[in-house]
């Protein structure tokens, strides 16, 4: 029965993509441009640094803290990708750690799509707080990996580049595929490209990047926009789930029930923040948009510099361990 349902759904998708190919191709092209212009530059550097830091090896509480930190800043599906290094991950843990990169939220959505960089000051804390609450309710348990000899720093970087590029290509494929499906089925049902809030939310629940672009085109206030965006970013969508499946098998219901709670928490927190501290405040009129942009960029640059510095420290430590292991393995070396 399951095979028949799978075959029937795929046959339906093929028919829709063929009959409504102009709309499907248009949406697929838009999805590819989002990946090329927004996701690739925002996620790839963090994927590389996260891979180097994870493979360099830390243990104990630092290992768990490093895993959570890297997952929160690297961008989905980093949670499932990093957890897979410790064996088959729990679906709930992978769901909690699958978060959109703060760089994408600030640079691509708030600054580029919406044109309001300050909106990121509400969405990013809401995403972090909702993830923190979920981590308190459902703690993550991982088994520490045995400390094997660490590869050379150049080998670490080479492996990190290869795995990160492969992960980004998987993200591109999933984004283009789901964008094409949305275009085909949208044309068949006569639904516009995110013309309403409900339509944009539905699109975001299927494909996060395209849904955020649809949200940015709506003529609504900052409060509902911020809350809706916070929900879409914390929920992630079916496309992120499909990307996560390339790293580990994750039960559908367990994963999405967790993401639904996390998305609702994030939306509620963002709505409360925007209610208590609304964006159009007269007291802030003396602060220019250029100043706000410069300050936010400085924070992003500091975060990136800190991550790079941690990577360099890890690589230097790995180089020391590599030389020590090489001296021990050399003939006549210390035993």
């Amino acid at each position: 029965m399951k095979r028949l349902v799978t075959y029937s759904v795929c046959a339906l998708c093929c028919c829709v993509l063929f009959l409504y190919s102009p709309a499907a191709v248009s949406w697929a092209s838009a999805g590819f441009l989002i990946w090329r212009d927004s996701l690739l530059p925002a996620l790839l550097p963090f994927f590389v640094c996260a891979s180097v830091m994870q493979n360099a090896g830390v243990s104990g509480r630092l290992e768990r803290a490093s895993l959570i930190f890297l997952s929160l800043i690297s961008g989905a599906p980093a949670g499932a990708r990093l957890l897979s290094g410790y064996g088959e991950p729990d679906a709930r843990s992978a769901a909690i750690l699958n978060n959109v990169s703060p760089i994408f939220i600030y640079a691509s959505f708030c600054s580029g799509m919406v044109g309001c960089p300050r909106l990121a000051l509400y969405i990013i804390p809401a995403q972090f707080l909702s993830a923190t609450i979920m981590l308190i309710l459902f703690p993550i348990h991982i088994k520490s990996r045995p400390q094997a000899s660490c590869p050379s720093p150049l080998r670490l970087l080479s492996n990190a580049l290869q795995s990160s590029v492969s992960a980004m290509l998987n993200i591109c494929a999933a984004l283009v595929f789901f964008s094409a499906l949305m275009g085909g089925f949208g044309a068949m049902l006569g639904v516009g490209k995110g013309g309403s809030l409900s339509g944009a939310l539905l699109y975001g629940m299927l494909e996060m990047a395209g849904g955020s672009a649809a949200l940015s085109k709506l003529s609504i206030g900052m409060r509902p926009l911020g809350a809706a965006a916070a929900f879409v970013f914390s929920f992630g969508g079916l496309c992120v789930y499909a990307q996560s499946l390339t790293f580990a098998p994750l039960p559908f219901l367990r994963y999405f029930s967790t993401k639904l709670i996390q998305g609702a928490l994030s939306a509620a927190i963002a709505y409360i923040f925007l209610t208590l501290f609304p964006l159009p405040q007269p007291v802030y009129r003396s602060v220019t948009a250029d100043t706000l942009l410069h300050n936010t960029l400085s924070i992003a640059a500091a975060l990136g510099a800190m991550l790079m510095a941690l990577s360099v420290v890890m690589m230097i430590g790995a180089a020391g361990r590599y030389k020590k292991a090489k001296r021990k393995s050399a003939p006549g070396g210390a035993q």
Side-chain angles (χ1 to χ4, degrees):
M1 182 64 182
K2 185 183 296 185
R3 293 182 180 179
L4 179 61
V5 171
T6 302
Y7 186 87
S8 301
V9 171
C10 290
L12 174 63
C13 291
C14 289
C15 292
V16 171
L17 291 174
F18 176 76
L19 294 174
Y20 301 95
S21 55
V25 170
S26 175
W27 279 58
S29 300
F32 175 77
L33 292 178
I34 292 174
W35 176 84
R36 186 194 69 182
D37 298 334
S38 300
L39 295 181
L40 181 62
L43 300 185
L44 183 60
F46 285 95
F47 274 22
V48 173
C49 293
S51 180
V52 170
M53 293 173 68
Q54 186 184 39
N55 293 326
V58 289
S59 60
R61 293 182 178 179
L62 182 60
E63 187 173 19
R64 185 177 289 103
S66 175
L67 172 67
I68 295 173
F69 171 74
L70 292 173
S71 299
L72 290 177
I73 69 171
S74 296
R81 180 170 179 259
L82 293 174
L83 280 173
S84 64
Y86 299 90
E88 185 174 319
D90 175 61
R92 178 170 286 129
S93 299
I96 295 173
L97 293 182
N98 270 349
N99 290 273
V100 176
S101 169
I103 301 300
F104 174 82
I105 295 175
Y106 163 71
S108 299
F109 179 72
C110 295
S111 299
M113 299 179 186
V114 179
C116 181
R118 289 174 57 191
L119 186 60
L121 301 178
Y122 299 83
I123 298 177
I124 294 176
Q127 177 174 262
F128 285 171
L129 282 175
S130 64
T132 302
I133 293 172
M134 294 296 291
L135 288 172
I136 294 173
L137 295 175
F138 309 103
I140 293 175
H141 302 285
I142 59 174
K143 295 180 180 180
S144 297
R145 296 172 298 178
Q147 293 294 313
S149 59
C150 184
S152 67
L154 291 179
R155 176 59 61 86
L156 280 175
L157 180 60
S158 175
N159 292 339
L161 288 171
Q162 292 178 8
S163 62
S164 300
V165 169
S166 176
M168 289 305 304
L169 289 177
N170 288 335
I171 292 174
C172 176
L175 177 57
V176 171
F177 174 74
F178 280 94
S179 296
L181 285 183
M182 283 297 298
F185 280 99
M188 181 181 69
L189 300 174
V191 179
K193 207 170 190 177
S196 63
L197 179 59
S198 58
L201 281 175
L202 177 60
Y203 187 11
M205 293 178 70
L206 294 175
E207 199 285 298
M208 180 273 302
S212 62
L215 280 173
S216 68
K217 296 179 175 65
L218 299 179
S219 299
I220 57 177
M222 284 296 175
R223 188 183 303 169
L225 176 63
F231 172 81
V232 168
F233 291 140
S234 291
F235 185 78
L238 185 61
C239 183
V240 171
Y241 174 72
Q243 298 164 21
S244 301
L245 291 179
T246 62
F247 304 108
L250 304 173
F252 183 88
L253 292 178
R254 187 178 181 87
Y255 180 93
F256 276 105
S257 61
T258 304
K259 294 307 291 182
L260 188 61
I261 298 172
Q262 188 174 352
L265 278 174
S266 183
I269 294 171
Y271 190 87
I272 292 172
F273 283 171
L274 285 163
T275 301
L276 296 177
F277 312 102
L279 276 170
Q281 289 284 353
V283 69
Y284 294 121
R285 287 179 182 173
S286 59
V287 182
T288 64
D290 291 337
T291 302
L292 290 171
L293 180 61
H294 175 75
N295 292 339
T296 312
L297 281 175
S298 299
I299 295 173
L303 182 63
M306 180 176 64
L307 187 59
M308 291 295 294
L310 287 172
S311 302
V312 171
V313 171
M314 291 288 188
M315 292 180 70
I316 293 174
R321 291 194 297 270
Y322 176 74
K323 291 181 180 179
K324 186 177 180 180
K326 192 173 182 180
R327 285 197 301 268
K328 286 184 177 181
S329 62
Q335 301 296 326

